[in-house]
Amino acid sequence: MSEKVMIVSGGASGLGLAAAIKFAQQGYDIVLVDIDKQKGEKAAEQIQKMGRQALFCECNIADGLRIREVAQQTKEQFGRADALINNAGLELRGSILQCTEEEWERTYAINLKGIYHMANAFVPMMIEQGKGAVINTGSILGFRTVPERAAYSSSKGAIDTLTRSMALDLAPHHIRVNCVAPGAIDTPLLRGSINDSPDPAATEKILGSKSVFNRMGTAEEVANVMYFLASDEASFVTGATYFVDGGWSIL
C-alpha cells in the first residue's frame, strides 16, 4: 500500500497535471481523474516515469456514481487518500442573458457539484485515517468581474463559501480544507478562452496587465501553493482562500 496518495480532478493537463507532478516529486502516488482519456493516460505515464505509481480514471465529475467507483478503485489499489485536489473546471462565456439554461447547469455541475461528488467519495477515507487535506480550485473571477462570465464567476465565487463550510464541518476529523484562487494562469483552459475572444492578442495583453508583474502566471506556481496547503507546513491553515493571482486582487 502507498504511504501518501493524492487525487486530482482535471489531472490530465493544466493546473491538475502540474499539481500531480509536484506531488509526485514529493513522494506521493497519484490518482488522475479526467474526461480526456488520451491525455490522462499520457499524464499517468509521465508520473510513472518519475518513479511513482499513477492511476488514471476516465470520469466526468458530474457523475456521482462513477466517482464512487473511482474512489473504491483508489482504496483497493492504494489503500488511502491523503490529499484531494478538486481542480476540474469549465469556463463558458456568456452574460446572464446570453447563457443558456443547459450551459448554466453544465457549468455548475462541473465547477460546484463536482466538488460535492468528489468530497463525498474520498473524504470518508480521510476520516478513517484521521487526517487529510482538501484543496478546492476557485478563481480570481469569483472575486473580480470581467464581462460575460455569469455562470463561471458565480460558480467559482460559491467555492469560497463551500470551502469555509467544509473546513468547519471536517475539522473534528482533522481534515483541513482550503482554496486556491488563481488569476490569469497560462493553461489550456485560459488559452481556449483567449482564442475564443474577438481579439486574442489584445486579450492576452490585457490578462498580463492584470498582474503587478505584467505577465500571466504558470501552472507550476499554482501547484506550489496547492502542495503547501496539503502539507504539514500548513497544519494550522484551514478555511482559507489563497490568491495565486500575481496581485490582481489588490489592483
Side-chain angles (χ1 to χ4, degrees):
M1 291 296 180
S2 299
E3 293 184 3
K4 293 186 293 184
V5 177
M6 184 271 263
I7 303 96
V8 56
S9 65
S13 63
L15 298 183
L17 178 56
I21 291 171
K22 177 67 178 183
F23 278 72
Q25 289 171 338
Q26 302 300 320
Y28 282 74
D29 292 325
I30 308 296
V31 178
L32 301 159
V33 179
D34 205 288
I35 60 172
D36 192 318
K37 183 178 181 181
Q38 183 177 4
K39 289 183 179 179
E41 291 177 345
K42 184 177 179 180
E45 291 176 2
Q46 186 175 352
I47 299 299
Q48 289 163 357
K49 289 179 181 178
M50 297 171 62
R52 305 309 311 176
Q53 295 186 67
L55 170 67
F56 168 66
C57 297
E58 184 180 1
C59 179
N60 182 338
I61 63 168
D63 184 346
L65 177 60
R66 174 61 182 140
I67 290 175
R68 288 194 292 275
E69 293 173 349
V70 170
Q72 183 60 35
Q73 189 175 355
T74 299
K75 189 169 185 178
E76 291 173 358
Q77 181 163 336
F78 296 113
R80 60 188 302 112
D82 298 279
L84 172 62
I85 313 294
N86 289 313
N87 173 74
L90 175 67
E91 180 179 3
L92 296 175
R93 295 178 65 91
S95 69
I96 195 71
L97 299 179
Q98 296 166 331
C99 186
T100 67
E101 184 175 1
E102 186 276 333
E103 289 172 333
W104 188 277
E105 291 179 350
R106 184 180 169 210
T107 299
Y108 269 74
I110 298 296
N111 293 358
L112 199 59
K113 195 173 182 180
I115 294 176
Y116 164 82
H117 287 313
M118 292 290 288
N120 267 262
F122 287 98
V123 166
M125 277 190 272
M126 296 181 178
I127 292 175
E128 289 179 11
Q129 296 160 197
K131 184 181 180 182
V134 179
I135 295 93
N136 299 323
T137 302
S139 170
I140 184 61
L141 295 188
F143 303 86
R144 297 292 184 273
T145 305
V146 298
E148 300 181 348
R149 294 296 189 281
Y152 180 78
S153 293
S154 57
S155 68
K156 287 296 186 176
I159 292 174
D160 174 69
T161 303
L162 177 59
T163 295
R164 286 183 273 124
S165 183
M166 291 172 65
L168 183 62
D169 291 339
L170 297 178
H173 303 289
H174 305 288
I175 296 170
R176 297 181 299 101
V177 186
N178 291 289
C179 175
V180 293
I185 307 299
D186 197 353
T187 64
L189 180 65
L190 184 59
R191 279 288 160 188
S193 181
I194 292 171
N195 293 335
D196 287 342
S197 68
D199 188 341
T203 300
E204 184 170 352
K205 184 176 181 180
I206 291 170
L207 288 171
S209 72
K210 294 293 186 180
S211 164
V212 297
F213 305 122
N214 291 309
R215 67 172 177 86
M216 291 194 289
T218 68
E220 290 74 21
E221 288 172 315
V222 180
N224 289 339
V225 179
M226 289 177 170
Y227 177 72
F228 163 71
L229 291 172
S231 75
D232 288 339
E233 298 295 319
S235 58
F236 204 56
V237 180
T238 195
T241 292
Y242 274 57
F243 290 93
V244 191
D245 63 356
W248 186 341
S249 55
I250 64 174
L251 293 176

